[in-house]
Amino acid sequence: MTAETMTTETGKAARKRLFIKTYGCQMNVYDSERMRDVLAPLGYEPADAPDGADLVILNTCHIREKAAEKVYSELGRLKPLKEARAAEGGTMTVTVAGCVAQAEGAEIQRRAPVVDLVVGPQTYHKLPELIASVHRERGEALDTEFEVEEKFDRLAAPARQVEGHTAFVTVQEGCDKFCSFCVVPYTRGPEWSRPVDQVTAEIRQLAAKGVREVTLLGQNVNAYHGAAPGAEAGSWSLGRLVRHLGLIGGIDRIRFTTSHPNDMDDELIAAFAEEPKLMPYLHLPVQAGSDRILRAMNRKHTAASYLAVIERLRAARPDIAISGDFIVGFPGETEADFQETLALVDAVGHASAFSFKYSRRPGTPGAALPGQVDEDVKSDRLARLQALLNSQQEAFNASMTGRTLPVLFERRGRKPGQLGGRSPYLQAVHCDGPESLIGQIAEVEILSASRNALAGRLTGGERSAA
Ligand code: 5AD
Ligand code: SF4
């Protein structure tokens, strides 16, 4: 047994340094936090940099090609650090987790021998066991053996370390939609929902630790159908779950992401009207505005059916802020198709949005389609789309000036005496105020707005969630 893997006399695992680098979506941010929690009992403490770390985990994203390439560059940078650690007489275990791990498997170790362990998103609960086996192969021992259990049973068990007053909670994973551009159904597997009781218990625990706002996460979160507690057998929709979570004292704000237009059912739309804790902001990707392209993308909705969903949402909650994802340059996309995307954007009016050039992902049906679009055409369309989306975001923010908004303060601002928080519409808001307001909701009169943030002053008014 080496010094670093020995248990201390108090029976606690010896201190080791863990560095996790997270790529991609909020689901990965959540998974990284859970990996930290599950490794803490083994003595792993978070480090800010990979230098000198005992365990480095790259929690990867495979959604676009560049995301995967970044991982290989990072692995190249880790090689000398791992050698330096060995020269000091220590070891650095390099682990690749996340969707690149799932998609590429053992290929990663062939391409980057610096990697000791590859672990997909469904198996993080086994990390302690897997790390133990790496140590065993090296002739070192680790002090713990874990039984194989379901991911969330294991990950839900250790107390969550909480920083701040907002938190993400995974309620659903995977996707059965198979959009023809997307790797998620392959990397994250089929749709699966966490049982209601488990979600409720985690959020109660977070509330007790001072969390005021939760964002429910899932690749296809509004397809949620979690097993209901005890007597109320059957499965609950996301709308029902949201109303149930609204009963938890201490939690003032609820959000969820990411949704598919076809799963916006009446119960969920009604929750925007009836559940005051559900914030008036929705990320609802449409991807494109041309029905021909939407069909080729296997989205199973049209531009008109998307607009009809937006209309129902606005009838329920007239001030709801809409965000989305867009892909330009999907195979076969013509200038006329692209114009239909711009027209759809015009019709919706976005509070914010993400837009991407189509990235050909091996193994997805889109990769094999004829009519792949030239990079410079994609770049040109992306620039035009982003100019329009940016102007909408600017206009949306500008419409807030003169209004008074409830702001959940999350942190100190950049300047002394300044606080930073979020409006109900997820806008960043800055104003001067006492640090005692961090973790509280207070009324702020908005005095100015830019594309990325609002600035205002405290009115001393009463708090309310939205
Ligand atoms: N190319 C470009 N963008 C993609 N997305 C998913 N797959 C691809 C791809 N192959 C985008 C979609 C999705 C978001 C998370 O990433 O817009 O909603
Ligand atoms: Fe990917 Fe979302 Fe389509 Fe599922 S619904 S395949 S996660 S883009």
Side-chain angles (χ1 to χ4, degrees):
M1 193 182 270
T2 64
E4 87 208 63
T5 57
M6 274 190 327
T7 50
T8 62
E9 281 172 22
T10 61
K12 274 187 163 177
R15 287 177 55 175
K16 285 162 277 189
R17 287 160 51 81
L18 164 65
F19 176 73
I20 305 184
K21 182 159 182 166
T22 309
Y23 301 80
C25 65
Q26 288 303 339
M27 184 75 86
N28 270 9
V29 174
Y30 178 88
D31 280 347
S32 290
E33 286 173 10
R34 300 294 71 71
M35 285 192 258
R36 236 168 253 137
D37 292 343
V38 90
L39 290 165
L42 295 182
Y44 285 101
E45 292 179 357
D48 297 333
D51 316 61
D54 300 287
L55 176 59
V56 173
I57 300 176
L58 303 185
N59 191 8
T60 62
C61 171
H62 201 240
I63 202 111
R64 284 169 291 276
E65 190 178 4
K66 272 197 193 135
E69 283 311 311
K70 275 190 208 158
V71 174
Y72 283 108
S73 315
E74 185 66 29
L75 288 170
R77 285 191 287 276
L78 284 177
K79 193 164 171 272
L81 299 181
K82 182 169 176 164
E83 286 162 0
R85 185 86 182 99
E88 285 170 356
T91 50
M92 177 189 281
T93 303
V94 176
T95 299
V96 177
C99 295
V100 173
Q102 187 67 33
E104 304 213 353
E107 175 62 23
I108 297 175
Q109 272 164 307
R110 269 196 295 278
R111 204 172 142 186
V114 68
V115 174
D116 298 291
L117 190 63
V118 177
V119 40
Q122 307 310 327
T123 44
Y124 295 151
H125 56 289
K126 291 193 214 164
L127 257 180
E129 188 187 351
L130 293 168
I131 288 164
S133 65
V134 170
H135 283 254
R136 241 179 258 119
E137 274 167 31
R138 289 196 199 121
E140 304 159 357
L142 204 74
D143 37 22
T144 317
E145 298 249 340
F146 279 81
E147 286 175 14
V148 176
E149 283 176 49
E150 284 302 309
K151 172 175 174 175
F152 284 107
D153 288 347
R154 166 53 62 197
L155 293 184
R160 272 190 73 168
Q161 313 284 317
V162 182
E163 281 170 33
H165 302 280
T166 59
F168 292 100
V169 175
T170 293
V171 303
Q172 183 276 336
E173 255 202 80
C175 181
D176 294 337
K177 298 277 191 300
F178 291 90
C179 299
S180 62
F181 51 81
C182 185
V183 291
V184 166
Y186 312 95
T187 58
R188 290 279 174 165
E191 267 175 26
W192 183 84
S193 300
R194 270 177 98 184
V196 171
D197 275 353
Q198 233 188 65
V199 173
T200 311
E202 183 167 340
I203 296 179
R204 284 220 178 92
Q205 200 191 84
L206 291 170
K209 291 183 174 172
V211 168
R212 302 272 82 97
E213 173 180 308
V214 287
T215 302
L216 311 178
L217 287 180
Q219 269 95 20
N220 222 212
V221 72
N222 60 341
Y224 180 83
H225 52 274
E232 297 189 67
S235 73
W236 283 12
S237 70
L238 187 65
R240 181 114 193 247
L241 179 72
V242 163
R243 281 192 283 121
H244 177 69
L245 299 176
L247 300 173
I248 299 179
I251 298 296
D252 292 317
R253 292 180 163 193
I254 302 172
R255 305 179 186 275
F256 58 85
T257 197
T258 291
S259 299
H260 190 285
N262 290 3
D263 292 318
M264 284 314 299
D265 63 23
D266 291 342
E267 205 169 16
L268 188 53
I269 291 177
F272 279 103
E274 292 160 13
E275 174 49 64
K277 292 184 181 179
L278 181 59
M279 291 294 98
Y281 173 96
L282 179 65
H283 184 64
L284 193 65
V286 62
Q287 313 293 357
S290 147
D291 288 346
R292 203 175 63 82
I293 295 300
L294 287 170
R295 211 173 310 118
M297 286 177 163
N298 194 31
R299 288 288 295 178
K300 302 192 178 84
H301 62 77
T302 61
S305 70
Y306 179 85
L307 289 171
V309 173
I310 298 292
E311 207 170 295
R312 282 161 63 217
L313 282 159
R314 287 195 167 136
R317 179 84 205 219
D319 64 334
I320 195 165
I322 302 294
S323 160
D325 288 339
F326 295 88
I327 296 176
V328 297
F330 186 78
E333 187 188 72
T334 63
E335 176 62 24
D337 292 316
F338 175 65
Q339 288 296 334
E340 292 189 57
T341 298
L342 295 178
L344 181 88
V345 169
D346 254 336
V348 171
H350 292 76
S352 69
F354 301 91
S355 45
F356 314 97
K357 289 191 269 188
Y358 171 67
S359 165
R360 196 173 181 173
R361 311 308 294 127
T364 61
L369 288 177
Q372 300 286 329
V373 176
D374 283 351
E375 273 311 301
D376 49 353
V377 174
K378 287 185 202 169
S379 301
D380 173 63
R381 288 182 190 161
L382 187 67
R384 285 188 283 154
L385 175 60
Q386 289 186 339
L388 177 59
L389 290 167
N390 287 346
S391 71
Q392 291 191 342
Q393 186 168 332
E394 229 164 89
F396 179 73
N397 286 353
S399 74
M400 299 290 151
T401 52
R403 284 184 59 181
T404 297
L405 300 176
V407 173
L408 171 58
F409 289 105
E410 291 164 31
R411 61 186 166 275
R412 279 189 232 138
R414 271 194 220 117
K415 294 181 199 143
Q418 205 184 48
L419 300 175
R422 296 264 169 194
S423 77
Y425 311 104
L426 207 61
Q427 295 149 302
V429 183
H430 306 288
C431 71
D432 287 340
E435 264 181 45
S436 58
L437 276 182
I438 294 175
Q440 308 288 325
I441 295 171
E443 300 285 330
V444 175
E445 184 191 350
I446 305 303
L447 300 173
S448 66
S450 69
R451 173 146 63 85
N452 295 317
L454 308 177
R457 66 177 176 87
L458 288 168
T459 64
E462 272 180 27
R463 65 185 283 286
S464 73

